[in-house]
Amino acid sequence: CHCYPFSLHYLALCLARVLTRIPGTHAGGLDNKLPNAAMIVINFFGFYQHITAEDFFDTIKSRVEQSGGRCCSPVVEVDFFTSTDLLDLPSEVSEALVDALRLRHGYQSEKKDVTRFTSSPTVQEMELRLREIIGKYKRFIFALEADEGKSRKEFIDQIVDIVKVTNDEDSPVLGNGKNEKSIKIVSVD
């Protein structure tokens, strides 16, 4: 199974963001100046192979609970895309993304040293192809992206609503608060 918790649209937008990022503005240096930036994003995306979106969410929830935390209900959801009904990616984009993921998968399947993944000549060729194609279609790709200000407002509004409910004695969100650690202050940067 070649399933991932994220879509090819998501991958295309992540690549476009990284490849248009101003050099020196990312703490880890992942920007367009890094010669293998696109394939590093592909490699990160590939870490989630064989995981569905539902499994991904369940894993996060389980780890939060194992660490003594509690997940709030409802879950905070923020728009990443302008719509849930997205136009198909141009075939050139989706083919390049699938080819890059196959290359990564094949490299991993052959049990090659993944730390040397981005230095392979084949991978370097794929890097150039991705940069060219993402650059060619970046207007289309960025048109998929939700407005960051609107998404930020949605996030803050939902957090505020959750905090208001947690102050109630019989909160259905986080329980009644008795003998439980609960958040009284929330800071959103």
Side-chain angles (χ1 to χ4, degrees), residues 150-161:
K150 183 180 174 189
S151 293
R152 180 173 292 151
K153 182 177 178 347
E154 288 175 19
F155 175 77
I156 292 170
D157 289 349
Q158 290 178 59
I159 292 293
V160 167
D161 290 345

Side-chain angles (χ1 to χ4, degrees), residues 2 12 26-27 41 45 49 63 69-70 81 84 93 98 100 103 113 116 125 131 137 143-144 152 154 164 170 185-186:
H2 291 280
H26 184 266
V41 173
F45 190 88
Q49 185 178 9
R63 290 191 180 164
R70 292 186 66 186
F81 296 113
T84 55
V93 174
V98 169
L103 177 60
D113 184 359
R116 299 183 194 276
E125 288 173 23
R131 284 176 179 262
Y137 292 99
L144 302 171
R152 180 173 292 151
E154 288 175 19
K164 284 178 184 176
D170 298 314
I185 299 174
V186 174

Side-chain angles (χ1 to χ4, degrees), residues 75-88:
V75 173
V76 174
E77 292 186 23
V78 179
D79 291 334
F80 187 78
F81 296 113
T82 55
S83 168
T84 55
D85 188 27
L86 297 171
L87 295 173
D88 290 341

Side-chain angles (χ1 to χ4, degrees), residues 74-128:
V75 173
V76 174
E77 292 186 23
V78 179
D79 291 334
F80 187 78
F81 296 113
T82 55
S83 168
T84 55
D85 188 27
L86 297 171
L87 295 173
D88 290 341
L89 289 171
S91 60
E92 194 174 12
V93 174
S94 56
E95 288 169 10
L97 297 176
V98 169
D99 288 348
L101 289 168
R102 284 184 181 144
L103 177 60
R104 185 210 180 267
H105 178 69
Y107 202 88
Q108 186 181 25
S109 297
E110 294 173 16
K111 308 250 188 274
K112 292 183 179 177
D113 184 359
V114 178
T115 60
R116 299 183 194 276
F117 174 67
T118 55
S119 62
S120 155
T122 308
V123 173
Q124 290 172 354
E125 288 173 23
M126 181 58 71
E127 174 77 28
L128 295 175

Side-chain angles (χ1 to χ4, degrees), residues 164-177:
K164 284 178 184 176
V165 171
T166 60
N167 287 332
D168 294 343
E169 286 270 334
D170 298 314
S171 169
V173 176
L174 294 176
N176 64 14

